[in-house]
Amino acid sequence: MVTPRDDFTHVDRAAVAYHGLWFDLDDDPATGIDGKEHQEHWYLPNDNPTPIAITRFEARALDPHRVKVEWEASSSDGIESFDLLRATSGDALRRVVPGTFGPATSVFVDETVTPGGHYEYVVVARDVRGAEFISPRIGVTVPSVVLSLGQNSPNPFNESTSFGITLPERADVDVSVYDVSGRRVATIASGVRDAGDYDLDWNGTDDAGRRVAAGVYFYRLEAGGRTLTRKLVLTR
């Protein structure tokens, strides 16, 4: 008996039978889209297409605001484009960016993630005939933003030094410098600030604008009911 796949004397019958059908290639309902990894696009036997498979697909959080996604295909011959899809908290898969990536693209940094969120990614390779080959889903959890106070640089310093703070939420902030006896020497920042990263400086002067003596000092961040402290050294 001649099957539709073999009956290429009746092109319309073969095309109708197979074009657009999805197949589960690895017998794993957890991979692909609804358990299926490959969409069949009918072609003639003499076309001799090059098989394509996603051989590597990885995603990792670079920081609370970025996820790096990388992939490799078994062969770049015949690949026309890639789609990168993302799902959030059980939602449907959607393109990370409008349009598609060219065949030479194999890495993308997703800067649209939310700190603390969990995301699942799928990459789809599309060949020149329109057939699609889908990777398994991979998940990544983006770290949450936490209150932080960075170490100043340079340290020791003479003229001025810089350091960063990170606020996970809007808060009333106080950043001040204290001497070894616990006396407040200078106020660097105060007041309500939105969540985010801030770069701050201290030029070695007190609140009256006078240059303070060389020695060991402590700078303190107070925000959201928490206090973080680090040590710095001023030279003259």
Side-chain angles (χ1 to χ4, degrees):
M1 178 178 177
V2 178
T3 66
R5 181 183 287 275
D6 298 327
D7 187 6
F8 288 99
T9 60
H10 297 281
V11 174
D12 57 343
R13 187 184 307 172
V16 169
Y18 282 90
H19 186 84
L21 291 184
W22 285 86
F23 294 91
D24 182 3
L25 302 183
D26 60 4
D27 295 322
D28 185 349
T31 61
I33 296 178
D34 294 331
K36 298 177 181 180
E37 297 79 30
H38 171 64
Q39 185 180 30
E40 182 70 21
H41 286 258
W42 174 82
Y43 52 85
L44 292 172
N46 293 334
D47 285 348
N48 192 25
T50 302
I52 297 172
I54 306 299
T55 57
R56 185 174 71 92
F57 186 41
E58 301 173 352
R60 62 186 179 91
L62 299 177
D63 53 46
H65 307 285
R66 299 179 300 161
V67 170
K68 185 178 184 179
V69 185
E70 299 180 87
W71 62 87
E72 289 181 3
S74 58
S75 172
S76 59
D77 294 337
I79 294 181
E80 184 175 70
S81 62
F82 291 104
D83 278 331
L84 183 60
L85 311 179
R86 188 186 78 185
T88 306
S89 302
D91 292 341
L93 286 164
R94 295 181 176 84
R95 281 191 174 97
V96 176
V97 296
T100 60
F101 297 99
T105 301
S106 61
V107 60
F108 177 76
V109 177
D110 184 2
E111 298 182 344
T112 63
V113 296
T114 300
H118 181 78
Y119 300 89
E120 293 185 342
Y121 292 88
V122 167
V123 66
V124 180
R126 184 176 296 102
D127 70 15
V128 295
R129 297 170 183 82
E132 294 182 344
F133 305 84
I134 303 173
S135 74
R137 286 196 187 201
I138 56 173
V140 59
T141 299
V142 181
S144 299
V145 176
V146 297
L147 182 71
S148 65
L149 173 64
Q151 183 62 55
N152 68 300
S153 178
N155 189 39
F157 75 100
N158 178 262
E159 295 296 330
S160 65
T161 190
S162 302
F163 58 91
I165 66 172
T166 298
L167 304 178
E169 59 188 4
R170 182 179 172 87
D172 192 0
V173 174
D174 182 88
V175 182
S176 297
V177 178
Y178 297 82
D179 62 19
V180 292
S181 68
R183 181 178 63 88
R184 185 194 295 259
V185 173
T187 302
I188 299 176
S190 64
V192 176
R193 296 209 176 191
D194 291 329
D197 299 321
Y198 297 90
D199 292 321
L200 302 175
D201 303 296
W202 184 46
N203 62 2
T205 62
D206 62 17
D207 283 336
R210 297 182 296 261
R211 288 167 60 84
V212 300
V216 174
Y217 292 86
F218 297 90
Y219 59 107
R220 180 184 301 169
L221 164 64
E222 298 181 51
R226 295 188 58 199
T227 300
L228 301 176
T229 303
R230 287 186 180 269
K231 181 172 70 175
L232 56 79
V233 177
L234 171 63
T235 61
R236 292 300 187 194

